[in-house]
Amino acid sequence: MANIRDLKTTGHWPTLLAAFLYFDFSFMVWTMMGPLANEIAESLKLTQNITLDPSQIATLISTPILAGAILRLLLGYFVDTVGAKKTAVVSQMIVVVGLFYAYFKGTSMSYDELLAITIVLGFAGASFSVALPQAGQWYPPHLQGVVLGLAGAGNIGVVIDFIFAPKIAQLWGWESVFLVGAVLSLFILFVYIVIAKDATADVYTPRPKKLIDYARLLKDKDTWWFSLFYAISFGGFVGFAGYLKVFLIDTYNPEMVSFGLDLINEDNVKVVAGYFGAFCIAAGAILRPVGGGIADKFGGVKSLYVFYGMVMAMLLISGFGSLSFWGAIIVLFLTMANLGMANGAVFQLVPQRFSKDIGIMSGIIGFAGGMGGTALIQTLGWSKKSFGVYSTGFIIFALIVFIAIIGISFVKTRWRTTWGVSAGGKI
């Protein structure tokens, strides 16, 4: 609570709010293919006689994640060279144009055109490399966990997706979701222009970066450790978030329909699957700042031990267990909750280690996170296509989390006795 109170006397809360809104609605746009994948696949089959296999559906969902990962590097560079606000405005304008195009082209779009649109959606995902540095630049080291947790809680946007996108698609067609996204993105752009400010010189001095700076940071082994940790925490979050609805329908469609509730039948099972997906995803989105606050109090290293340990346990239960629908929801809820808190813990540490390079590091680490999400979605799609079940995908991800836990044990002493001594926050 002390950290929350400190926010009132330091920094710039309108920019923190603007960063949250920008990231929130950008994240909503970035991940909108996840809750629409089933509807789009059915539309392609009906209107163009194209049947998508699990790998093609996974590609449709994962391409925005991959594009966002790559574009995070580019936008992170521009944050340090031309400023966060200019970077955000141009990027958001590209997203708005792409969304309006997708709406007006509608169901006549081919699969290849849809993939092209998903690349444009990557600009929305790249907002991470703008919103978090812009908010963090205003605040001192001991508040970075809670500040970046609050700004990063904008990933609640994917919850909005899963609640509303399937219902809008059911009522007016999946292309209408793109229209809603375009209008909301345009409104948020206006609000952002009005209230967001780049940090002033007395609290943050911009240090324009050159391409050689990327090479310098990539030579630092801590860059690779943080990239691994974020590829798991954020990659796991965005990967599961994007694929949750597809997974629930593929695995538990008959069980959901057999509940006997008037709300659930063959016509609206996609909508209800979206509601359950939103419930699980909300845990990770809402608890991200909690994870940052816990890391501020107990240290990011200790926090990651706990969060990753819980994630690995839940993944192994999913992989080796034969879960009922309700059992799967509980396990997925706990998985997403701990992945979200791990996101906050990782970004409690990053600004302390790379305070002078936070913009470019957000791009590099954000790239790793997006790549992790892409790999997870593709692994789940491959597992389903190859074996007819998702178990192998869960087990592979659990093994990667275990590697990360070993990695934390490997670096913790060095971190605490080197840069941790003067970082200004708890390691």
Side-chain angles (χ1 to χ4, degrees):
M1 292 301 294
N3 283 353
I4 298 295
R5 288 194 295 268
D6 290 343
L7 293 179
K8 299 178 181 179
T9 58
T10 188
H12 189 253
W13 71 263
T15 297
L16 179 57
L17 175 61
F20 167 78
L21 291 174
Y22 168 50
F23 188 41
D24 184 27
F25 284 90
S26 293
F27 206 100
M28 178 187 73
V29 168
W30 185 39
T31 56
M32 66 195 307
M33 299 306 291
L36 292 178
N38 297 97
E39 288 82 350
I40 291 175
E42 286 187 1
S43 175
L44 287 175
K45 187 173 183 178
L46 289 172
T47 62
Q48 302 180 44
N49 198 28
I50 297 173
T51 301
L52 303 183
D53 63 34
S55 290
Q56 288 176 305
I57 293 174
T59 298
L60 196 64
I61 298 171
S62 65
T63 301
I65 312 302
L66 176 61
I70 296 170
L71 289 168
R72 283 179 178 197
L73 291 172
L74 180 65
L75 266 60
Y77 174 80
F78 281 117
V79 165
D80 282 330
T81 54
V82 303
K85 188 166 184 176
K86 291 179 181 177
T87 302
V89 170
V90 173
S91 178
Q92 188 78 336
M93 289 175 66
I94 293 172
V95 172
V96 169
V97 171
L99 289 170
F100 275 118
Y101 174 85
Y103 168 68
F104 286 112
K105 195 68 186 292
T107 57
S108 64
M109 279 193 293
S110 66
Y111 180 74
D112 289 339
E113 283 182 292
L114 281 166
L115 289 179
I117 290 297
T118 63
I119 295 174
V120 174
L121 299 185
F123 279 94
S127 62
F128 170 92
S129 292
V130 183
L132 268 68
Q134 186 173 28
Q137 287 167 4
W138 280 99
Y139 294 88
H142 74 281
L143 292 176
Q144 289 297 313
V146 67
V147 167
L148 298 188
L150 288 170
N155 54 32
I156 194 74
V158 70
V159 179
I160 299 173
D161 266 341
F162 275 75
I163 293 175
F164 295 105
K167 191 63 179 180
I168 293 172
Q170 183 188 48
L171 294 174
W172 299 294
W174 61 263
E175 67 275 14
S176 298
V177 179
F178 285 88
L179 176 62
V180 174
V183 173
L184 288 174
S185 296
L186 195 59
F187 173 73
I188 294 301
L189 175 60
F190 173 77
V191 173
Y192 177 88
I193 291 173
V194 172
I195 70 175
K197 288 180 61 178
D198 287 330
T200 54
D202 58 318
V203 296
Y204 178 78
T205 302
R207 297 175 176 85
K209 300 296 186 296
K210 300 178 181 179
L211 292 178
I212 195 172
D213 292 310
Y214 281 98
R216 172 178 58 84
L217 289 171
L218 289 174
K219 291 179 181 178
D220 190 321
K221 53 190 173 183
D222 285 344
T223 299
W224 294 95
W225 282 117
F226 278 120
S227 295
L228 171 63
F229 298 152
Y230 205 63
I232 290 170
S233 62
F234 182 77
F237 175 83
V238 74
F240 280 126
Y243 210 75
L244 253 179
K245 181 171 168 243
V246 173
F247 167 74
L248 290 176
I249 291 175
D250 281 351
T251 310
Y252 296 105
N253 191 2
E255 192 170 344
M256 284 191 287
V257 173
S258 68
F259 285 162
L261 302 177
D262 291 338
L263 181 65
I264 305 175
N265 53 55
E266 290 287 358
D267 293 331
N268 61 13
V269 69
K270 298 183 187 67
V271 175
V272 177
Y275 294 157
F276 281 115
F279 171 72
C280 296
I281 296 164
I286 294 171
L287 292 175
R288 177 168 180 150
V290 174
I294 291 173
D296 281 336
K297 184 174 182 180
F298 298 104
V301 169
K302 289 182 180 178
S303 301
L304 284 175
Y305 268 129
V306 176
F307 301 148
Y308 282 164
M310 281 294 295
V311 169
M312 185 177 70
M314 295 301 104
L315 290 171
L316 291 175
I317 291 173
S318 298
F320 289 108
S322 180
L323 298 174
S324 67
F325 173 75
W326 292 109
I329 292 299
I330 293 171
V331 168
L332 288 168
F333 179 89
L334 292 174
T335 301
M336 298 298 280
N338 282 277
L339 286 170
M341 289 189 287
N343 284 333
V346 171
F347 262 87
Q348 183 262 356
L349 293 167
V350 173
Q352 299 182 70
R353 174 63 178 86
F354 296 101
S355 60
K356 295 180 180 180
D357 299 292
I358 185 60
I360 199 169
M361 280 305 300
S362 293
I364 292 174
I365 297 171
F367 169 80
M371 292 300 290
T374 302
L376 176 58
I377 293 172
Q378 289 290 345
T379 301
L380 291 171
W382 164 80
S383 179
K384 176 66 175 178
K385 182 179 180 180
S386 300
F387 306 106
V389 293
Y390 293 100
S391 301
T392 304
F394 285 110
I395 294 169
I396 290 173
F397 191 48
L399 292 174
I400 296 173
V401 176
F402 179 65
I403 292 172
I405 294 173
I406 294 175
I408 295 171
S409 302
F410 184 76
V411 301
K412 64 179 181 181
T413 300
R414 177 174 60 82
W415 283 7
R416 287 169 176 164
T417 56
T418 54
W419 56 270
V421 174
S422 57
K426 196 151 186 177
I427 304 302

